[in-house]
Amino acid sequence: MTRSRGGAVARRVAGHLIRGLVMVWVVATISFVIIREIPGNPVQGQYESLIQKGMSPEQAERATAVLYGFLPTGSLWDQYTGYLGSLLHFDLGRSLSTPGVEVTTLIGHAARWTVLPVLAGTLLSFLLGVTMGVYAAIKRSGKLGDLLALSGSLLHGVPVYVIGLLLTAIFTTLWPILPSGGPVDVEFVPGLNPGYVGSLLQHAVLPVVTYTLASYGGWILAMKSNVVAVLGDDFILAAELRGLKRGIVFRYLARNAILPLFTILALSIGMLFGGSIFIEEIFNYPGLGLLLVNSISSRDYALMGGTFLVITVGIIVANIAADLLYTAIDPRVRSGGSA
Amino acid sequence: MTTSSPAPGCPAPSCPAPGVRIRDLTVVYKTPVGELPAVSGVDLTLTPGTITGVVGESGSGKSTLALSLLNAVQPPGRIKSGTVEIDGLGDVVKLGGEQLRQTRGRKVGYVFQAAQNSLNPLKTIGKQLLDLGRSHEVDDLRALVRDAKDLLARMGMDGARVLDSHQHELSGGMRQRVGIMLALVLNAQVVVLDEPTTALDMITQATILRIIREVHEERALTTLVITHDVGAVAEVADDLAVMYGGRVVEHGRITEVLGAPRHPYTQGLIRAIPRLSGDISLARALPGRPPTLGTLPAAGCVFRERCDKRMEICETVEPQSVTLDGRTVACHAAGRPLPLVKRKEYA
Ligand SMILES: Nc1ncnc2c1ncn2[C@@H]1O[C@H](COP(=O)(O)OP(=O)(O)O)[C@@H](O)[C@H]1O
Ligand SMILES: [Mg+2]
């Protein structure tokens, strides 16, 4: 039995990987087409402007290839395979707006400012939403339950940038206790000293709280309805009729109600990644979202395509992780059985 | 198997089976038109050490009555009045909180009507068994597991494999037998089984009922078996209670009730079953449909609409239960000689 379970897990992971690779390929192709076919073809434009600046065609060709990851001349097919080939070597080309710096370097720097706050926000909102969802379900005929459910519905309906703007208005203008933007105050020496770390955390508060509030509403509503549904399941009544301790019955209830949430965990993380575009702009936070926005406004196509690709990969990885988590706790999936 | 009871409950034969006395029990469900009774003024005594069968069409209040034995009627229902006295426990209607929890499972074993769905889908049967043991402070969990395997083996299953399985790896019939095992494994002295064999084929059904009978005798239990199939309990029960519209309309020794039914409803039920009426050509379905909470008449006899002995008094006066020679019947027409079809002998 154990072997067939292992096999089922391996099959799921393989399926995810294949789907993921296909998605990466599709996104890569799309960004290739955008860079190549956008009006005023930037690759061609770059090539020509370099020649006008006095470069030889060979030099200009090499310089452009470095910038975009593919040759400015040659057949479409050669350009395309060249582009995919450099992707395989994790070469996303060089940035135009930060001349000479590799796109992967820029993305690597930006990623931490997005990934950590998004994960922190996801974790916080999950814990908070699930706990409050259980309360809202158990106290659903009382005032507290109504209030909790209402808070969920309200937050669920508000777009993330509105939450971000409101928080900025409140905590940096009306009641200025938090820094209004940026990742950290410049006066501190980077490193593990209290001043720097404190400043980092202070600056992270508003972005993380915004991420948290953005998905809290979804969690509390989903958890509440799951708990109510499981409460009506026969096995909960049966557990009570067998005289199981309250704590044990509660664990039966909670585990069964939380389980379906893991299927939307990946979705939620993906949404927050998307939300980072607004949130990082509001808080001037140097993450992937801001990088993408800046690359678009400065027509830095290599950077744009690369960032977009990395965000896609991030969402795919989140999907696989969430699915594996789900598999680890649901025996019905684990055994590959038809439940 | 011999009884190697680790004795969380009370092992036979050191303590006598408890008696159960239900008195004037009324259970109501809240509906849009107010609270309506699903069980009305029921008096029922379970003699210590006997198996009592409860039969009646769907909706007659059997499950509601059974849940009352554990003070477990679910909202929107509630026990409106009456008492359920169990020897050694007192009136369970007055129990609450921790005391009630400890009674459930340990003192009164219960097989849920939907026993196929009575298991946590995320845990193996073995882990749920351990949860049960820990909830009732069983010291020797190994002995508990051994007893569980024995019970499962008696019911024709591979105990070790079943304990290792999740619910989704078992068939409906297997889950139902697991439900029975969980109700018996703590050696509760009162056992309530609500339609314990519905998901089983005829042969397994007979086997399971026989095993319930065996365990019942080994441990000197007081057992209540609910079913809508009179034929199924005929083989195992000592007493039979017949329910209609939330009332126990007839109750007595099963041989006597089936051999000489006095209530017109009991007669109709028996006539409807070929294997009891003895002759297929004489089997006749009971005319009409059973009442629901909303269609129960407010006054008079609840069965009169479908009754072939109906009299004028039945329209206005509810017949009282009358006990004669250990037989209780609630019918204005009972006591008169009634024509009976040819039938099998049950003694
Ligand atoms: N939760 C409920 N809400 C309203 N009515 C109910 C509920 N449960 C049972 N009833 C009604 O109570 C009556 C008795 O039900 P039940 O005890 O389940 O009967 P049985 O077990 O004999 O089929 C039925 O008319 C049924 O419709
Ligand atoms: Mg029932």
Side-chain angles (χ1 to χ4, degrees):
Chain A
M1 199 160 4
T2 321
R3 199 177 312 139
S4 79
R5 279 177 186 177
V9 173
R11 263 197 309 283
R12 285 175 81 84
V13 174
H16 272 302
L17 284 178
I18 292 169
R19 271 195 302 278
L21 284 176
V22 169
M23 261 168 77
V24 169
W25 171 70
V26 168
V27 170
T29 306
I30 290 175
S31 57
F32 170 80
V33 170
I34 290 176
I35 296 170
R36 175 74 180 53
E37 298 295 329
I38 212 151
N41 181 353
V43 183
Q44 197 62 34
Q46 180 74 21
Y47 177 65
E48 276 157 16
S49 88
L50 286 177
I51 290 181
Q52 272 168 22
K53 282 180 189 155
M55 272 192 190
S56 72
E58 293 80 39
Q59 274 178 318
E61 187 172 301
R62 229 176 304 127
T64 316
V66 164
L67 269 177
Y68 291 101
F70 61 84
L71 300 170
T73 55
S75 75
L76 192 63
W77 179 250
D78 286 344
Q79 291 187 350
Y80 181 57
T81 48
Y83 172 72
L84 289 186
S86 45
L87 266 192
L88 283 180
H89 297 100
F90 299 102
D91 177 7
L92 297 173
R94 276 168 204 264
S95 166
L96 200 64
S97 46
T98 319
V101 182
E102 290 202 22
V103 166
T104 45
T105 313
L106 287 177
I107 288 175
H109 281 296
R112 72 192 69 161
W113 299 108
T114 301
V115 173
L116 289 180
V118 161
L119 290 185
T122 302
L123 194 70
L124 276 176
S125 66
F126 186 77
L127 294 178
L128 205 68
V130 162
T131 316
M132 294 300 146
V134 172
Y135 270 105
I138 291 174
K139 309 247 181 256
R140 64 188 177 284
S141 44
K143 279 256 174 347
L144 180 64
D146 286 347
L147 216 65
L148 284 172
L150 190 70
S151 79
S153 307
L154 276 180
L155 279 171
H156 192 52
V158 177
V160 51
Y161 58 88
V162 174
I163 298 177
L165 287 174
L166 271 176
L167 287 178
T168 333
I170 295 172
F171 292 106
T172 67
T173 310
L174 285 180
W175 187 34
I177 53 165
L178 288 170
S180 66
V184 66
D185 281 329
V186 285
E187 71 225 46
F188 297 104
V189 190
L192 265 183
N193 59 76
Y196 183 74
V197 173
S199 172
L200 267 185
L201 291 178
Q202 231 182 13
H203 283 78
V205 168
L206 283 182
V208 169
V209 168
T210 310
Y211 285 126
T212 305
L213 292 182
S215 48
Y216 158 84
W219 291 130
I220 187 175
L221 293 181
M223 189 61 185
K224 182 193 165 184
S225 78
N226 285 357
V227 170
V228 171
V230 176
L231 272 175
D233 276 352
D234 286 335
F235 76 88
I236 293 293
L237 176 58
E240 281 172 6
L241 294 183
R242 292 191 188 114
L244 294 196
K245 284 188 173 152
R246 284 178 65 116
I248 294 179
V249 178
F250 184 78
R251 280 208 297 281
Y252 283 17
L253 173 68
R255 244 182 106 194
N256 276 278
I258 286 182
L259 194 60
L261 295 187
F262 286 101
T263 56
I264 44 175
L265 188 62
L267 212 68
S268 165
I269 292 180
M271 249 177 51
L272 290 189
F273 263 117
S276 73
I277 295 172
F278 303 106
I279 293 178
E280 287 170 4
E281 183 154 40
I282 292 170
F283 298 111
N284 192 24
Y285 216 63
L288 292 173
L290 196 59
L291 195 64
L292 186 63
V293 172
N294 289 341
S295 71
I296 293 171
S297 60
S298 62
R299 295 179 155 240
D300 189 343
Y301 295 105
L303 185 57
M304 184 181 90
T307 312
F308 198 52
L309 201 62
V310 166
I311 290 181
T312 310
V313 171
I315 293 172
I316 291 168
V317 169
N319 261 298
I320 296 180
D323 189 72
L324 288 183
L325 205 58
Y326 186 79
T327 311
I329 44 183
D330 190 341
R332 288 162 293 196
V333 180
R334 198 158 60 222
S335 64
S338 48
Chain B
M1 167 191 113
T2 49
T3 42
S4 61
S5 315
C10 186
S14 56
C15 56
V20 177
R21 289 167 302 280
I22 300 168
R23 290 291 170 267
D24 199 22
L25 183 73
T26 296
V27 183
V28 293
Y29 283 101
K30 193 186 255 168
T31 71
V33 292
E35 287 190 326
L36 298 174
V39 169
S40 300
V42 161
D43 286 319
L44 184 66
T45 301
L46 309 186
T47 313
T50 61
I51 296 184
T52 303
V54 176
V55 294
E57 286 159 298
S58 165
S60 55
K62 306 182 296 295
S63 295
T64 306
L65 179 68
L67 285 169
S68 307
L69 286 176
L70 277 177
N71 193 1
V73 176
Q74 297 299 300
R78 66 180 182 97
I79 297 178
K80 192 178 176 197
S81 62
T83 58
V84 179
E85 294 266 357
I86 299 180
D87 288 339
L89 296 176
D91 181 5
V92 295
V93 175
K94 294 197 181 65
L95 291 184
E98 197 53 8
Q99 227 183 348
L100 181 60
R101 181 190 72 73
Q102 285 166 5
T103 299
R104 294 174 175 174
R106 178 74 170 254
K107 303 286 169 60
V108 184
Y110 196 99
V111 177
F112 195 54
Q113 168 153 13
Q116 319 79 287
N117 306 325
S118 74
L119 301 165
N120 181 349
L122 300 185
K123 280 192 142 186
T124 62
I125 311 300
K127 288 202 176 128
Q128 295 183 61
L129 174 70
L130 295 181
D131 283 343
L132 182 68
R134 291 198 191 99
S135 292
H136 294 285
E137 322 295 343
V138 174
D139 295 323
D140 191 350
L141 290 174
R142 268 182 211 195
L144 185 75
V145 170
R146 203 176 52 230
D147 280 12
K149 284 184 187 164
D150 280 345
L151 282 167
L152 292 171
R154 285 176 84 168
M155 291 188 278
M157 290 186 290
D158 176 348
R161 232 210 80 212
V162 169
L163 291 186
D164 237 1
S165 303
H166 285 92
Q167 162 195 280
H168 69 275
E169 294 163 315
L170 305 175
S171 70
M174 290 165 99
R175 293 180 203 175
Q176 210 159 30
R177 283 175 275 174
V178 167
I180 296 173
M181 177 276 284
L182 291 172
L184 295 176
V185 75
L186 288 178
N187 287 324
Q189 290 297 99
V190 177
V191 175
V192 180
L193 303 109
D194 192 354
E195 313 226 4
T197 57
T198 42
L200 302 172
D201 61 85
M202 290 294 279
I203 294 174
T204 320
Q205 184 171 333
T207 314
I208 299 302
L209 287 173
R210 202 196 69 238
I211 290 157
I212 289 169
R213 174 93 225 172
E214 279 172 24
V215 174
H216 166 88
E217 277 166 7
E218 281 163 20
R219 299 184 181 175
L221 309 178
T222 301
T223 304
L224 189 72
V225 180
I226 290 173
T227 169
H228 57 249
D229 179 0
V230 189
V233 280
E235 330 275 336
V236 292
D238 304 296
D239 289 355
L240 186 68
V242 180
M243 287 193 76
Y244 189 87
R247 278 99 176 143
V248 171
V249 294
E250 182 158 8
H251 177 218
R253 307 290 301 166
I254 192 164
T255 48
E256 293 168 17
V257 174
L258 291 182
R262 293 198 190 144
H263 196 283
Y265 177 60
T266 318
Q267 293 165 3
L269 269 187
I270 293 171
R271 266 202 298 275
I273 306 164
R275 97 172 127 121
L276 292 184
S277 59
D279 188 340
I280 263 203
S281 62
L282 290 173
R284 206 146 26 94
L286 202 68
R289 299 222 265 134
T292 62
L293 289 192
T295 59
L296 271 178
C301 175
V302 287
F303 184 60
R304 65 169 186 268
E305 302 290 337
R306 301 166 76 188
C307 183
D308 50 3
K309 314 279 176 333
R310 178 171 169 174
M311 304 180 297
E312 208 167 303
I313 186 173
C314 304
E315 306 288 334
T316 49
V317 182
E318 174 156 13
Q320 295 302 302
S321 294
V322 178
T323 306
L324 207 79
D325 308 329
R327 176 97 65 104
T328 306
V329 182
C331 176
H332 293 302
R336 309 172 172 217
L338 294 163
L340 268 181
V341 291
K342 212 170 51 188
R343 65 198 138 62
K344 235 163 79 180
E345 205 45 62
Y346 287 101

